[in-house]
Amino acid sequence: MMFWYGDGMNGWGWFAMSAGMMLFWGLLITVAVMLFRTLGRPAERPSGSRPATSAEQILGERLARGEIDEDEYRRRLTALRSAEP
């Protein structure tokens, strides 16, 4: 009377048990990978920690890279210095 469906599980029972185990292990592995990636990531620096670059430094770098010539450098540098308070 206790075993109405025979000696074991039917096909749907095996399917449900297998799917449940795959979901369980998939979830467990996903959580482990996400935790590992989060802990392995280097700490992000705050955006304010970058050293400030002045306009004169940028202008000097552009001259060094050859983006502007010396006459334009001097003209822009004069304009920058006259515009500062």
Side-chain angles (χ1 to χ4, degrees), residues 6-68:
D7 290 343
M9 251 188 278
N10 62 9
W12 289 109
W14 283 105
F15 174 76
M17 186 174 65
S18 299
M21 285 303 293
M22 287 192 308
L23 286 173
F24 170 75
W25 285 110
L27 181 66
L28 189 66
I29 290 170
T30 301
V31 168
V33 167
M34 290 177 68
L35 185 64
F36 178 74
R37 289 180 68 187
T38 301
L39 294 176
R41 184 178 302 163
E44 295 180 13
R45 295 186 330 191
S47 61
S49 68
R50 173 185 273 180
T53 305
S54 71
E56 290 183 16
Q57 288 174 331
I58 294 171
L59 197 57
E61 291 172 4
R62 289 187 66 193
L63 176 66
R65 286 193 298 258
E67 294 177 7
I68 57 175

